[in-house]
Amino acid sequence: MTYQTIDNLSNANIGDILSYPTVNTPTFFPLILVAIFIIITMVSFFRELNRESKGNLMSSLAVSGFITTVVALAMSLLGLIQREVVVIILVISIIFEVIFLLTGREK
Amino acid sequence: MANKSFLQLFTMFALVGIFVFAIISFSYNLQANNGVEDTILGDGIINKTYSNLNTDLNKFRDESQGQKTNFEEGGLSVSFGSLVLTTIGSIGKVFNGMIIGVFGILIVLPAQILGINSLVIGVIEAILLLTIMLSLWRVYRQGS
């Protein structure tokens, strides 16, 4: 299999350059989104654990889901990911946000 | 969720419905205003969920108005040393229906898009129905 290199791109604009990784690896940007989701969840959870000695994983997942949705929407504006990926990310983030809203901590 | 009163349960589900409606609306508007041709409403399930939520949440106001009229016209009587409100049963049924309606619309998303097993959905639904029934019974018995 011959991999396309960046030399093969002619008259490339910014959209072509940004979407170049998907030529050989179509799952590149969905994997980036998964990484963003996990990183923000962990950062948020452990920061709360260090600050208040009690972490709320549900709230971290909800916030992370929302941020990932916004990033996915931005990527869809540039044509970097397909509608199906945006829909799956939206549904996963809705699930975590709904679970967080329905099981909020009693004060 | 188990210890919440019926009012809290209803408020939570109404706000969850509004939140999901808002997030889908925001996503669609952002894409449409920036020239994306294949927006999320192009997906049949998201489209159906959005329009069902729109219809369901619009019905909230009309049904609540109707139940308020019902409540005001319903008779109060004293029985066995306590006040009895005869219309509370129908009010409970209508608001219970609204909660189940929102739940029914939202549960389609994980079931069809993520392919979650119907067994899992059934168990969650059973927990929700039991919670609603116990909360309503507390309203009927204790008035709160």
Side-chain angles (χ1 to χ4, degrees), chain B:
Chain B
M1 195 160 82
N3 285 333
K4 298 212 186 286
S5 69
F6 186 73
L7 172 64
Q8 286 172 314
L9 203 59
F10 175 76
T11 307
M12 268 168 21
F13 271 88
L15 291 177
V16 162
I18 291 173
F19 175 77
V20 174
F21 180 79
I23 203 169
I24 295 177
S25 183
F26 163 73
S27 303
Y28 168 72
N29 284 328
L30 184 66
Q31 289 185 319
N33 290 338
N34 286 285
V36 175
E37 288 172 4
D38 199 12
T39 63
I40 55 160
L41 286 187
D43 183 270
I45 297 168
I46 296 284
N47 198 351
K48 197 174 164 195
T49 301
Y50 183 70
S51 63
N52 285 346
L53 269 176
N54 195 2
T55 309
D56 217 51
L57 293 173
N58 272 324
K59 269 175 24 184
F60 268 39
R61 184 181 178 277
D62 295 333
E63 289 187 357
S64 304
Q65 279 294 112
Q67 291 310 308
K68 177 181 169 288
T69 310
N70 206 13
F71 179 80
E72 285 165 350
E73 289 171 358
L76 271 176
S77 58
V78 178
S79 177
F80 300 106
S82 65
L83 279 172
V84 174
L85 177 62
T86 53
T87 55
I88 196 68
S90 69
I91 291 169
K93 280 183 202 169
V94 169
F95 284 98
N96 163 39
M98 290 183 199
I99 295 175
I100 302 292
V102 171
F103 176 78
I105 292 168
L106 295 179
I107 206 68
V108 166
L109 290 175
Q112 293 193 9
I113 291 179
L114 298 182
I116 292 181
N117 200 325
S118 57
L119 180 71
V120 174
I121 306 286
V123 170
I124 296 170
E125 194 170 353
I127 293 170
L128 172 66
L129 289 173
L130 185 62
T131 307
I132 291 173
M133 282 191 284
L134 292 175
S135 305
L136 269 177
W137 177 238
R138 195 153 44 135
V139 171
Y140 296 156
R141 267 186 56 206
Q142 299 170 350
S144 65

Side-chain angles (χ1 to χ4, degrees), chain A residues 76-77 83 91 95 97 106, chain B residues 4 19 31 38-39 42 114:
Chain A
S76 74
L77 299 183
R83 184 191 68 202
V91 169
I95 290 172
E97 284 151 7
E106 304 278 346
Chain B
K4 298 212 186 286
F19 175 77
Q31 289 185 319
D38 199 12
T39 63
L114 298 182

Side-chain angles (χ1 to χ4, degrees), chain A residues 87-101:
Chain A
V87 166
I88 289 173
I89 288 167
L90 181 70
V91 169
I92 291 173
S93 73
I94 284 176
I95 290 172
F96 286 127
E97 284 151 7
V98 166
I99 292 173
F100 171 64
L101 287 172

